[in-house]
Amino acid sequence: MIRKRLGIGAALAAGTLAAGLALAPGAAAVVPQTATIVADCGLYGGGEATLTATQDGTAATLTVSSSEITAPLALAEDSIAATLTLAKAGGGTTVFSGTENPAIPAGGGVTVGPLPGTVAAGDSLEAFGGSLTMTVFGITITCTADGPQSPGPFVFE
């Protein structure tokens, strides 16, 4: 009798779990979630940078951070106007832009984002062939990737 109760209880628990998973909303995912590039910012230097992507349906954000690309002066929170343009597989580009950044001390690594943008299912986006433009104190700095991002392009679901 005890075995029957345990068996029925386990079956009910498994059924409830399966029903809950079936009814849970599907979250869109981007793969990979992080990638690295080596950026060349011309007269302003360059170095390795990490790109972090998130996705919620057609809304996506990208954050660019680097300990090697540094600010010569202290920068206040949300003082960098940034536009990240990524090359789309098959042609075209997708743009992420905004004025989100943490306060950055003089000599500190630069972080911009999360920068919002719009993606479609199946979009494959790559930093190589695109650019990051940052405007600080009226000065525009453009950084480009020296080669393809690693481990590969962002693919959005």
Side-chain angles (χ1 to χ4, degrees), residues 36-113:
T36 57
I37 61 168
V38 175
D40 177 2
C41 301
L43 296 173
Y44 301 98
E48 188 172 288
T50 300
L51 288 77
T52 305
T54 65
Q55 179 185 6
D56 184 8
T58 60
T61 63
L62 267 109
T63 300
V64 181
S65 58
S66 176
S67 60
E68 295 181 11
I69 302 170
T70 59
L73 303 169
L75 300 173
E77 180 178 2
D78 300 336
S79 63
I80 302 172
T83 300
L84 176 64
T85 303
L86 298 179
K88 189 182 285 191
T93 59
T94 299
V95 175
F96 299 82
S97 63
T99 56
E100 294 286 327
N101 66 275
I104 303 170
V110 172
T111 295
V112 293

